[in-house]
Coordinates of all heavy atoms in Angstrom, one line a residue:
M1 N 11.1 -51.1 32.0 CA 9.9 -51.5 32.7 C 9.9 -53.0 32.8 O 10.4 -53.7 32.0 CB 8.7 -51.0 31.8 CG 7.4 -51.1 32.5 SD 6.1 -50.5 31.3 CE 6.8 -49.0 30.7
F2 N 9.3 -53.5 33.9 CA 9.2 -54.9 34.1 C 7.8 -55.4 34.3 O 7.2 -55.2 35.3 CB 10.0 -55.2 35.4 CG 10.0 -56.7 35.8 CD1 10.9 -57.6 35.4 CD2 8.9 -57.1 36.7 CE1 10.9 -58.9 35.8 CE2 8.9 -58.5 37.1 CZ 9.9 -59.3 36.6
P3 N 7.1 -55.8 33.2 CA 5.8 -56.3 33.3 C 5.8 -57.8 33.8 O 6.6 -58.6 33.3 CB 5.2 -56.2 31.9 CG 6.3 -56.2 31.0 CD 7.6 -55.9 31.8
A4 N 5.0 -58.1 34.8 CA 4.9 -59.4 35.3 C 3.5 -59.9 35.1 O 2.5 -59.4 35.7 CB 5.2 -59.5 36.8
R5 N 3.3 -60.9 34.2 CA 2.0 -61.5 34.0 C 1.8 -62.7 34.9 O 2.5 -63.6 34.8 CB 1.8 -61.8 32.5 CG 1.8 -60.6 31.6 CD 1.6 -60.9 30.2 NE 1.7 -59.6 29.4 CZ 2.9 -59.1 29.0 NH1 4.0 -59.8 29.2 NH2 2.9 -57.9 28.4
L6 N 0.8 -62.6 35.7 CA 0.6 -63.5 36.8 C -0.9 -64.0 36.8 O -1.7 -63.3 36.2 CB 1.0 -62.9 38.1 CG 2.4 -62.4 38.1 CD1 2.6 -61.3 39.1 CD2 3.4 -63.5 38.5
P7 N -1.2 -65.0 37.5 CA -2.6 -65.5 37.5 C -3.6 -64.4 38.0 O -4.8 -64.4 37.6 CB -2.6 -66.7 38.5 CG -1.2 -67.1 38.5 CD -0.4 -65.9 38.3
W8 N -3.2 -63.5 38.8 CA -4.1 -62.4 39.3 C -4.0 -61.1 38.5 O -4.5 -60.1 38.9 CB -3.8 -62.2 40.8 CG -2.3 -62.2 41.1 CD1 -1.5 -61.1 41.0 CD2 -1.5 -63.3 41.5 NE1 -0.2 -61.5 41.3 CE2 -0.2 -62.8 41.7 CE3 -1.8 -64.6 41.8 CZ2 0.8 -63.7 42.1 CZ3 -0.8 -65.4 42.2 CH2 0.5 -65.0 42.3
G9 N -3.2 -61.2 37.4 CA -3.2 -60.0 36.5 C -1.8 -59.6 36.1 O -0.9 -60.5 36.1
T10 N -1.6 -58.4 35.7 CA -0.3 -57.9 35.3 C 0.1 -56.7 36.1 O -0.6 -55.8 36.3 CB -0.3 -57.5 33.8 OG1 -0.8 -58.6 33.0 CG2 1.0 -57.1 33.3
T11 N 1.3 -56.8 36.7 CA 1.9 -55.7 37.5 C 3.1 -55.2 36.8 O 3.8 -55.9 36.0 CB 2.2 -56.1 38.9 OG1 3.1 -57.2 38.9 CG2 0.9 -56.4 39.7
Y12 N 3.4 -53.9 37.1 CA 4.6 -53.3 36.4 C 5.5 -52.7 37.5 O 5.0 -52.0 38.4 CB 4.1 -52.1 35.5 CG 3.3 -52.6 34.4 CD1 1.9 -52.8 34.5 CD2 3.8 -52.9 33.1 CE1 1.1 -53.2 33.5 CE2 3.1 -53.3 32.1 CZ 1.7 -53.5 32.3 OH 0.9 -54.0 31.2
A13 N 6.8 -52.9 37.4 CA 7.7 -52.3 38.4 C 7.6 -50.8 38.3 O 7.3 -50.2 37.2 CB 9.1 -52.7 38.1
V14 N 7.7 -50.1 39.4 CA 7.4 -48.7 39.5 C 8.7 -47.8 39.4 O 9.8 -48.3 39.4 CB 6.7 -48.4 40.8 CG1 5.4 -49.1 40.8 CG2 7.5 -48.8 42.0
N15 N 8.4 -46.5 39.3 CA 9.5 -45.5 39.3 C 9.9 -45.2 40.7 O 9.1 -44.7 41.5 CB 9.0 -44.3 38.6 CG 10.0 -43.1 38.5 OD1 11.2 -43.3 39.0 ND2 9.6 -42.0 38.0
L16 N 11.2 -45.6 41.1 CA 11.6 -45.3 42.4 C 12.6 -44.2 42.5 O 13.4 -44.0 43.5 CB 12.3 -46.6 43.0 CG 11.4 -47.8 43.3 CD1 12.2 -49.0 43.8 CD2 10.3 -47.5 44.2
T17 N 12.7 -43.4 41.4 CA 13.6 -42.2 41.4 C 13.0 -41.1 42.3 O 11.8 -41.2 42.7 CB 13.9 -41.7 40.0 OG1 12.8 -41.0 39.5 CG2 14.4 -42.8 39.1
S18 N 13.7 -40.0 42.5 CA 13.3 -38.9 43.3 C 12.3 -38.0 42.6 O 11.9 -37.0 43.2 CB 14.5 -38.1 43.8 OG 15.2 -37.6 42.7
D19 N 11.9 -38.3 41.4 CA 10.9 -37.5 40.7 C 9.6 -37.6 41.4 O 9.3 -38.6 42.1 CB 10.8 -38.0 39.2 CG 10.0 -37.0 38.4 OD1 10.5 -35.9 38.1 OD2 8.9 -37.3 38.0
A20 N 8.7 -36.5 41.1 CA 7.4 -36.6 41.7 C 6.6 -37.7 41.1 O 5.6 -38.2 41.8 CB 6.7 -35.3 41.4
S21 N 6.9 -38.2 39.9 CA 6.2 -39.4 39.4 C 6.8 -40.7 40.0 O 6.3 -41.8 39.7 CB 6.3 -39.4 37.9 OG 7.7 -39.5 37.5
G22 N 7.8 -40.6 40.8 CA 8.4 -41.7 41.6 C 8.1 -41.6 43.0 O 6.9 -41.4 43.4
I23 N 9.1 -41.6 43.9 CA 8.9 -41.5 45.3 C 9.3 -40.1 45.8 O 9.5 -39.9 47.0 CB 9.6 -42.6 46.1 CG1 11.1 -42.7 45.7 CG2 9.0 -44.0 45.8 CD1 12.1 -42.4 46.8
G24 N 9.4 -39.1 44.9 CA 9.8 -37.8 45.3 C 9.0 -37.1 46.4 O 9.6 -36.4 47.2
S25 N 7.7 -37.4 46.4 CA 6.9 -36.7 47.4 C 6.5 -37.7 48.5 O 5.7 -37.4 49.4 CB 5.6 -36.2 46.8 OG 4.9 -37.2 46.1
W26 N 7.1 -38.9 48.5 CA 6.8 -39.8 49.6 C 7.5 -39.5 50.9 O 8.6 -38.9 50.9 CB 7.3 -41.2 49.2 CG 6.5 -42.0 48.2 CD1 5.9 -41.4 47.1 CD2 6.2 -43.4 48.1 NE1 5.2 -42.4 46.4 CE2 5.4 -43.6 47.0 CE3 6.6 -44.4 48.9 CZ2 5.0 -44.9 46.6 CZ3 6.2 -45.7 48.6 CH2 5.4 -45.9 47.5
K27 N 6.9 -39.9 52.0 CA 7.5 -39.7 53.3 C 8.1 -41.1 53.6 O 7.7 -42.1 53.1 CB 6.5 -39.4 54.4 CG 5.9 -38.0 54.1 CD 5.3 -37.5 55.4 CE 5.0 -36.0 55.3 NZ 4.4 -35.5 54.0
E28 N 9.1 -41.1 54.5 CA 9.8 -42.3 54.9 C 8.9 -43.4 55.4 O 8.9 -44.5 55.1 CB 10.9 -42.0 56.0 CG 11.8 -43.1 56.3 CD 12.7 -42.6 57.4 OE1 12.3 -42.4 58.6 OE2 13.9 -42.4 57.2
E29 N 7.9 -42.9 56.2 CA 6.9 -43.9 56.8 C 6.1 -44.6 55.7 O 5.7 -45.7 55.9 CB 5.9 -43.2 57.7 CG 6.5 -42.2 58.8 CD 6.7 -40.8 58.2 OE1 5.8 -40.1 58.0 OE2 7.9 -40.5 58.0
Q30 N 5.8 -43.9 54.6 CA 5.1 -44.4 53.5 C 5.9 -45.6 52.9 O 5.3 -46.6 52.5 CB 4.9 -43.4 52.4 CG 3.5 -42.9 52.2 CD 3.6 -41.8 51.1 OE1 4.1 -40.7 51.4 NE2 3.0 -42.0 50.0
F31 N 7.2 -45.3 52.7 CA 8.0 -46.3 52.0 C 8.1 -47.6 52.9 O 7.9 -48.7 52.4 CB 9.4 -45.7 51.9 CG 10.3 -46.6 51.0 CD1 10.2 -46.6 49.7 CD2 11.4 -47.3 51.6 CE1 11.1 -47.4 48.9 CE2 12.3 -48.0 50.9 CZ 12.1 -48.1 49.5
I32 N 8.2 -47.4 54.2 CA 8.2 -48.6 55.1 C 6.9 -49.3 55.1 O 6.8 -50.5 55.1 CB 8.6 -48.1 56.5 CG1 10.1 -47.6 56.5 CG2 8.5 -49.3 57.5 CD1 10.6 -47.0 57.8
K33 N 5.8 -48.5 55.2 CA 4.5 -49.1 55.2 C 4.2 -49.9 53.9 O 3.6 -51.0 53.9 CB 3.4 -48.1 55.3 CG 2.0 -48.6 55.7 CD 1.1 -47.4 55.7 CE -0.1 -47.4 56.6 NZ -0.3 -47.8 57.8
A34 N 4.6 -49.3 52.7 CA 4.4 -50.0 51.4 C 5.0 -51.4 51.5 O 4.4 -52.4 51.0 CB 5.1 -49.2 50.3
L35 N 6.2 -51.5 52.0 CA 6.9 -52.8 52.0 C 6.5 -53.7 53.2 O 6.2 -54.9 53.0 CB 8.4 -52.6 51.9 CG 8.8 -51.9 50.6 CD1 10.2 -51.4 50.7 CD2 8.7 -52.8 49.4
H36 N 6.5 -53.1 54.4 CA 6.2 -54.0 55.5 C 4.7 -54.4 55.6 O 4.4 -55.5 56.1 CB 6.6 -53.3 56.8 CG 8.1 -53.4 57.1 ND1 8.8 -52.8 58.1 CD2 9.0 -54.2 56.4 CE1 10.1 -53.1 58.0 NE2 10.2 -54.0 57.0
E37 N 3.8 -53.5 55.3 CA 2.4 -53.8 55.3 C 1.8 -54.1 54.0 O 0.6 -54.3 53.8 CB 1.6 -52.6 56.0 CG 2.1 -52.4 57.4 CD 1.3 -51.3 58.1 OE1 0.1 -51.0 57.8 OE2 2.0 -50.6 58.9
R38 N 2.7 -54.1 53.0 CA 2.3 -54.4 51.6 C 1.1 -53.6 51.1 O 0.1 -54.1 50.7 CB 2.0 -55.9 51.4 CG 3.3 -56.7 51.8 CD 3.1 -58.1 51.6 NE 4.0 -58.8 52.5 CZ 4.2 -60.2 52.5 NH1 3.5 -60.9 51.8 NH2 5.1 -60.7 53.4
K39 N 1.2 -52.3 51.3 CA 0.1 -51.3 50.9 C 0.6 -50.5 49.7 O 1.7 -49.9 49.8 CB -0.3 -50.4 52.1 CG -0.9 -51.1 53.3 CD -2.2 -51.8 53.0 CE -3.3 -50.9 52.7 NZ -4.6 -51.6 52.5
W40 N -0.2 -50.4 48.7 CA 0.2 -49.6 47.5 C 0.4 -48.2 47.9 O -0.4 -47.6 48.7 CB -1.0 -49.7 46.5 CG -0.7 -48.9 45.3 CD1 -1.4 -47.8 44.8 CD2 0.2 -49.2 44.3 NE1 -0.9 -47.4 43.6 CE2 0.1 -48.3 43.3 CE3 1.2 -50.2 44.1 CZ2 1.0 -48.3 42.1 CZ3 2.0 -50.2 43.0 CH2 1.9 -49.2 42.0
M41 N 1.5 -47.6 47.5 CA 1.9 -46.3 47.8 C 2.1 -46.0 49.3 O 2.3 -44.9 49.8 CB 1.0 -45.2 47.3 CG 1.0 -45.2 45.8 SD 0.3 -43.7 45.1 CE 1.5 -42.5 45.6
G42 N 2.1 -47.1 50.1 CA 2.3 -46.9 51.6 C 1.2 -46.1 52.2 O 1.4 -45.5 53.3
L43 N 0.0 -46.2 51.7 CA -1.1 -45.5 52.2 C -2.2 -46.4 52.7 O -2.4 -47.5 52.1 CB -1.7 -44.5 51.2 CG -0.8 -43.4 50.6 CD1 -1.5 -42.7 49.4 CD2 -0.4 -42.5 51.7
D44 N -2.9 -46.0 53.8 CA -4.1 -46.9 54.2 C -5.1 -46.8 53.1 O -5.2 -45.9 52.3 CB -4.6 -46.3 55.5 CG -3.6 -46.5 56.7 OD1 -3.0 -47.6 56.7 OD2 -3.5 -45.6 57.5
N45 N -6.0 -47.8 53.1 CA -7.2 -47.8 52.2 C -6.7 -47.8 50.7 O -7.4 -47.3 49.9 CB -8.1 -46.6 52.4 CG -8.5 -46.5 53.8 OD1 -8.9 -47.5 54.4 ND2 -8.5 -45.3 54.4
T46 N -5.6 -48.4 50.5 CA -5.2 -48.7 49.1 C -5.1 -50.2 48.9 O -5.2 -50.9 49.8 CB -3.8 -48.1 48.8 OG1 -2.9 -48.5 49.7 CG2 -3.8 -46.5 48.8
R47 N -5.0 -50.6 47.6 CA -4.9 -52.0 47.3 C -3.6 -52.6 47.9 O -2.7 -51.9 48.1 CB -5.0 -52.2 45.8 CG -3.8 -51.7 45.0 CD -3.9 -52.3 43.6 NE -2.9 -51.8 42.7 CZ -1.7 -52.3 42.6 NH1 -1.3 -53.3 43.4 NH2 -0.8 -51.8 41.8
P48 N -3.6 -53.9 48.0 CA -2.4 -54.6 48.4 C -1.3 -54.5 47.4 O -1.6 -54.4 46.2 CB -2.8 -56.0 48.6 CG -4.2 -56.1 48.5 CD -4.7 -54.9 47.8
L49 N -0.1 -54.5 47.9 CA 1.1 -54.6 46.9 C 1.1 -56.0 46.4 O 1.0 -57.0 47.1 CB 2.4 -54.3 47.8 CG 3.7 -54.1 47.0 CD1 3.6 -52.9 46.1 CD2 4.8 -53.9 48.0
M50 N 1.2 -56.1 45.1 CA 1.1 -57.4 44.5 C 2.4 -58.1 44.1 O 3.4 -57.4 44.1 CB 0.3 -57.3 43.2 CG -1.1 -56.7 43.4 SD -2.2 -57.7 44.5 CE -2.5 -59.2 43.4
P51 N 2.4 -59.4 43.8 CA 3.6 -60.0 43.3 C 4.1 -59.4 42.0 O 3.2 -58.9 41.3 CB 3.2 -61.5 43.1 CG 1.9 -61.6 44.0 CD 1.3 -60.3 43.9
P52 N 5.3 -59.5 41.7 CA 6.4 -60.2 42.4 C 6.9 -59.3 43.6 O 7.6 -59.8 44.5 CB 7.5 -60.4 41.4 CG 7.3 -59.3 40.4 CD 5.9 -59.1 40.3
M53 N 6.5 -58.0 43.7 CA 7.1 -57.2 44.7 C 6.7 -57.7 46.1 O 7.6 -57.6 47.0 CB 6.6 -55.7 44.6 CG 7.4 -54.8 45.4 SD 9.1 -54.7 45.0 CE 9.9 -54.7 46.6
S54 N 5.5 -58.2 46.3 CA 5.1 -58.6 47.6 C 5.8 -59.8 48.1 O 5.7 -60.2 49.3 CB 3.6 -58.9 47.7 OG 3.2 -59.9 46.7
M55 N 6.6 -60.5 47.2 CA 7.4 -61.6 47.6 C 8.9 -61.3 47.6 O 9.7 -62.2 47.9 CB 7.2 -62.8 46.7 CG 5.7 -63.2 46.6 SD 5.4 -64.6 45.6 CE 5.7 -64.0 44.0
M56 N 9.3 -60.1 47.4 CA 10.7 -59.7 47.3 C 11.4 -59.7 48.7 O 10.7 -59.4 49.7 CB 10.8 -58.3 46.7 CG 10.6 -58.2 45.2 SD 11.9 -59.0 44.3 CE 11.0 -59.5 42.9
P57 N 12.7 -60.0 48.7 CA 13.4 -59.9 50.0 C 13.3 -58.6 50.7 O 13.4 -58.5 51.9 CB 14.8 -60.3 49.6 CG 14.8 -61.0 48.3 CD 13.5 -60.5 47.6
A58 N 13.1 -57.5 49.9 CA 13.0 -56.2 50.4 C 11.9 -56.0 51.5 O 12.1 -55.2 52.4 CB 12.8 -55.2 49.3
I59 N 10.9 -56.8 51.4 CA 9.8 -56.7 52.4 C 10.2 -57.2 53.8 O 9.6 -56.9 54.7 CB 8.5 -57.3 51.9 CG1 8.7 -58.8 51.8 CG2 7.9 -56.7 50.7 CD1 7.4 -59.6 51.7
K60 N 11.3 -58.0 53.8 CA 11.8 -58.5 55.1 C 12.9 -57.7 55.7 O 13.4 -58.0 56.7 CB 12.3 -60.0 54.9 CG 11.1 -60.9 54.5 CD 11.6 -62.3 54.5 CE 10.5 -63.2 54.0 NZ 11.0 -64.4 53.3
M61 N 13.3 -56.6 55.0 CA 14.3 -55.7 55.5 C 13.8 -55.0 56.8 O 12.6 -54.7 56.9 CB 14.8 -54.7 54.5 CG 15.6 -55.3 53.4 SD 16.0 -54.1 52.2 CE 16.9 -55.0 51.0
S62 N 14.8 -54.7 57.7 CA 14.4 -53.9 58.9 C 14.1 -52.5 58.5 O 14.4 -52.0 57.5 CB 15.6 -54.0 59.8 OG 16.7 -53.2 59.3
D63 N 13.4 -51.8 59.5 CA 13.1 -50.4 59.3 C 14.4 -49.6 59.0 O 14.4 -48.8 58.1 CB 12.6 -49.8 60.6 CG 11.1 -50.2 60.8 OD1 10.6 -51.0 60.1 OD2 10.4 -49.6 61.7
D64 N 15.5 -49.9 59.7 CA 16.7 -49.2 59.4 C 17.3 -49.4 58.0 O 17.8 -48.5 57.4 CB 17.8 -49.5 60.5 CG 17.6 -48.9 61.8 OD1 16.7 -48.0 61.9 OD2 18.2 -49.3 62.8
E65 N 17.2 -50.6 57.6 CA 17.6 -50.9 56.2 C 16.8 -50.2 55.2 O 17.3 -49.6 54.2 CB 17.6 -52.4 55.9 CG 18.7 -53.2 56.6 CD 18.5 -54.7 56.6 OE1 17.4 -55.2 56.7 OE2 19.6 -55.4 56.5
L66 N 15.5 -50.2 55.4 CA 14.6 -49.5 54.4 C 14.8 -48.0 54.5 O 14.7 -47.3 53.5 CB 13.1 -49.9 54.7 CG 12.7 -51.3 54.4 CD1 11.3 -51.6 54.7 CD2 13.0 -51.7 52.9
K67 N 15.1 -47.5 55.7 CA 15.3 -46.0 55.8 C 16.6 -45.7 55.0 O 16.6 -44.6 54.4 CB 15.5 -45.6 57.3 CG 14.2 -45.6 58.1 CD 14.5 -45.3 59.5 CE 13.2 -45.3 60.3 NZ 13.4 -45.1 61.8
A68 N 17.6 -46.5 55.1 CA 18.8 -46.3 54.3 C 18.6 -46.3 52.8 O 19.1 -45.5 52.1 CB 19.9 -47.3 54.7
I69 N 17.8 -47.3 52.4 CA 17.4 -47.4 50.9 C 16.6 -46.1 50.5 O 16.9 -45.5 49.5 CB 16.7 -48.7 50.6 CG1 17.6 -49.9 50.8 CG2 16.1 -48.6 49.2 CD1 16.9 -51.2 50.6
F70 N 15.7 -45.8 51.3 CA 14.8 -44.6 51.0 C 15.7 -43.3 50.9 O 15.5 -42.5 50.0 CB 13.8 -44.4 52.1 CG 12.8 -43.4 51.8 CD1 11.8 -43.5 50.8 CD2 12.8 -42.2 52.5 CE1 10.9 -42.5 50.5 CE2 11.9 -41.2 52.3 CZ 10.9 -41.3 51.3
A71 N 16.6 -43.2 51.9 CA 17.5 -42.0 51.9 C 18.3 -42.0 50.6 O 18.5 -40.9 49.9 CB 18.4 -42.0 53.1
Y72 N 18.8 -43.1 50.2 CA 19.6 -43.2 48.9 C 18.7 -42.9 47.7 O 19.0 -42.1 46.8 CB 20.2 -44.6 48.7 CG 20.6 -44.8 47.3 CD1 21.7 -44.1 46.8 CD2 19.9 -45.6 46.4 CE1 22.1 -44.2 45.4 CE2 20.2 -45.7 45.1 CZ 21.3 -45.0 44.6 OH 21.6 -45.1 43.3
L73 N 17.5 -43.5 47.7 CA 16.6 -43.2 46.5 C 16.2 -41.7 46.4 O 16.1 -41.2 45.3 CB 15.3 -44.1 46.7 CG 15.5 -45.6 46.5 CD1 14.2 -46.3 46.8 CD2 15.9 -45.9 45.1
K74 N 16.2 -41.0 47.5 CA 15.9 -39.6 47.5 C 17.0 -38.8 46.8 O 16.8 -37.7 46.4 CB 15.6 -39.1 48.9 CG 14.3 -39.5 49.5 CD 13.2 -38.6 48.9 CE 11.9 -38.7 49.7 NZ 10.8 -37.8 49.2
T75 N 18.2 -39.4 46.8 CA 19.3 -38.7 46.2 C 19.5 -39.0 44.7 O 20.4 -38.4 44.0 CB 20.7 -39.1 46.8 OG1 21.0 -40.4 46.5 CG2 20.6 -38.9 48.4
T76 N 18.7 -39.8 44.1 CA 18.8 -40.2 42.7 C 18.3 -39.1 41.8 O 17.5 -38.3 42.2 CB 18.0 -41.5 42.4 OG1 16.6 -41.3 42.7 CG2 18.5 -42.7 43.2
T77 N 18.9 -39.1 40.6 CA 18.5 -38.2 39.6 C 17.0 -38.4 39.3 O 16.6 -39.5 39.0 CB 19.3 -38.4 38.3 OG1 20.6 -38.3 38.6 CG2 18.9 -37.4 37.2
P78 N 16.2 -37.3 39.3 CA 14.7 -37.5 39.0 C 14.5 -38.0 37.6 O 15.1 -37.4 36.7 CB 14.1 -36.2 39.3 CG 15.2 -35.2 39.5 CD 16.5 -36.0 39.7
V79 N 13.7 -39.0 37.4 CA 13.3 -39.4 36.1 C 11.8 -39.4 36.0 O 11.2 -40.1 36.9 CB 13.9 -40.8 35.8 CG1 13.4 -41.3 34.4 CG2 15.4 -40.9 35.9
K80 N 11.3 -38.7 35.1 CA 9.8 -38.6 35.0 C 9.3 -39.9 34.2 O 9.7 -40.0 33.1 CB 9.4 -37.3 34.3 CG 7.9 -37.2 34.3 CD 7.5 -35.8 33.7 CE 6.0 -35.7 33.8 NZ 5.5 -34.5 33.2
N81 N 8.6 -40.7 34.9 CA 8.1 -41.9 34.3 C 6.9 -42.5 35.1 O 7.1 -42.8 36.3 CB 9.2 -43.0 34.2 CG 8.6 -44.3 33.6 OD1 7.9 -44.2 32.6 ND2 9.0 -45.4 34.1
I82 N 5.8 -42.5 34.5 CA 4.6 -43.1 35.2 C 4.4 -44.5 34.7 O 4.1 -44.6 33.5 CB 3.4 -42.2 35.0 CG1 3.6 -40.8 35.6 CG2 2.2 -42.8 35.7 CD1 2.5 -39.8 35.3
A83 N 4.7 -45.4 35.5 CA 4.5 -46.8 35.1 C 3.0 -47.1 34.8 O 2.2 -46.5 35.5 CB 5.0 -47.8 36.2
P84 N 2.8 -48.0 33.9 CA 1.4 -48.4 33.6 C 0.7 -48.9 34.9 O 1.3 -49.5 35.8 CB 1.5 -49.5 32.6 CG 2.8 -49.3 32.0 CD 3.7 -48.8 33.1
Q85 N -0.6 -48.7 35.0 CA -1.4 -49.2 36.1 C -1.4 -50.7 36.0 O -1.5 -51.3 34.9 CB -2.9 -48.7 36.0 CG -3.1 -47.2 36.2 CD -3.0 -46.9 37.7 OE1 -3.5 -47.6 38.5 NE2 -2.4 -45.8 38.0
A86 N -1.4 -51.4 37.2 CA -1.6 -52.8 37.2 C -3.0 -53.2 36.7 O -3.9 -52.4 36.9 CB -1.4 -53.3 38.6
V87 N -3.0 -54.3 36.0 CA -4.3 -54.8 35.6 C -4.6 -56.0 36.5 O -4.0 -57.1 36.3 CB -4.3 -55.2 34.1 CG1 -5.7 -55.7 33.7 CG2 -3.9 -54.0 33.3
L88 N -5.5 -55.9 37.5 CA -5.8 -57.0 38.4 C -7.1 -57.7 38.1 O -8.1 -57.1 37.8 CB -5.8 -56.4 39.8 CG -4.5 -55.7 40.3 CD1 -4.7 -55.2 41.7 CD2 -3.3 -56.6 40.2
L89 N -7.0 -59.0 38.1 CA -8.1 -59.8 37.8 C -8.8 -60.2 39.1 O -8.2 -60.2 40.2 CB -7.7 -61.1 37.1 CG -6.9 -60.9 35.8 CD1 -6.3 -62.2 35.3 CD2 -7.8 -60.3 34.7
P90 N -10.1 -60.5 39.1 CA -10.8 -60.9 40.3 C -10.2 -62.2 40.8 O -9.8 -63.0 40.0 CB -12.2 -61.1 39.9 CG -12.4 -60.5 38.6 CD -11.0 -60.4 38.0
P91 N -10.0 -62.4 42.2 CA -10.5 -61.6 43.2 C -9.5 -60.5 43.7 O -9.9 -59.7 44.5 CB -10.8 -62.6 44.4 CG -9.7 -63.6 44.1 CD -9.5 -63.7 42.6
A92 N -8.3 -60.5 43.1 CA -7.3 -59.5 43.6 C -7.8 -58.1 43.4 O -7.5 -57.2 44.2 CB -6.0 -59.7 42.8
A93 N -8.6 -57.9 42.3 CA -9.1 -56.5 42.0 C -9.9 -56.0 43.1 O -10.0 -54.8 43.3 CB -9.8 -56.5 40.7
S94 N -10.6 -56.8 43.9 CA -11.5 -56.3 44.9 C -10.9 -56.2 46.2 O -11.6 -55.7 47.2 CB -12.8 -57.2 44.9 OG -12.3 -58.5 45.3
K95 N -9.7 -56.6 46.4 CA -9.0 -56.5 47.7 C -8.6 -55.1 48.0 O -8.2 -54.4 47.1 CB -7.7 -57.4 47.7 CG -7.9 -58.9 47.9 CD -6.6 -59.5 48.1 CE -6.7 -61.0 47.9 NZ -5.4 -61.6 47.7
S96 N -8.7 -54.7 49.3 CA -8.1 -53.4 49.7 C -7.5 -53.5 51.1 O -7.7 -54.5 51.7 CB -9.2 -52.3 49.6 OG -10.2 -52.6 50.5
Ligands
HEM1 C1 15.5 -53.4 47.0 C2 14.8 -53.6 45.9 C3 13.4 -53.0 45.7 C4 12.7 -52.0 46.4 C5 13.2 -51.2 47.6 C6 11.4 -51.9 45.8 C7 10.4 -51.1 46.2 C8 9.1 -51.0 45.7 C9 8.1 -50.2 46.2 C10 8.2 -49.2 47.4 C11 7.0 -50.4 45.5 C12 5.6 -49.8 45.7 C13 5.4 -48.6 44.7 C14 4.1 -47.9 44.9 O1 3.3 -48.3 45.8 O2 3.8 -46.9 44.2 C15 7.3 -51.4 44.5 C16 6.5 -52.0 43.5 C17 6.8 -52.9 42.6 N1 8.0 -53.6 42.5 FE1 9.6 -53.2 43.6 N2 11.3 -52.8 44.8 C18 12.5 -53.5 44.7 C19 12.8 -54.6 43.8 C20 12.0 -55.1 42.8 C21 12.3 -56.1 41.9 C22 13.7 -56.8 41.8 C23 11.2 -56.3 41.1 C24 11.0 -57.3 40.0 C25 11.6 -58.4 39.8 C26 10.2 -55.4 41.6 C27 8.9 -55.3 41.0 C28 7.9 -54.5 41.5 C29 6.6 -54.5 40.9 C30 6.1 -55.3 39.8 C31 5.9 -53.5 41.6 C32 4.4 -53.1 41.4 C33 3.6 -54.1 42.3 C34 2.1 -53.7 42.2 O3 1.6 -53.2 41.2 O4 1.4 -54.0 43.2 N3 10.7 -54.7 42.6 N4 8.7 -51.8 44.6

């Protein structure tokens, strides 16, 4: 687990394995949206993806590159692990 304590709170690196507690039930479009539009879980009406992830080079990858990563992640051994919820301080906590 990778906790990042930052001025806007603490975020935790997530489970990217193929388990349901990871990206097992995600659709490809969700994965691309999560990174390109910086939306939590790649869904509309969710909070923004926070640092350090929102500053990672991965967000600048092309659709095709992200599709390739997503396809690979779907082949990984499922690992059940629910990362702790981010603790966001105001004003980050009120953003959506
Ligand atoms: C190619 C490399 C990477 C990919 C494809 C990737 C992908 C993702 C995705 C899709 C999420 C969103 C998960 C969700 O919404 O449930 C996420 C979150 C996160 N990632 Fe990464 N990640 C990568 C590398 C990294 C690295 C190197 C770090 C740490 C140095 C990191 C730290 C985080 C953190 C802290 C979050 C949670 C952010 C939040 O709570 O808003 N990631 N990552």
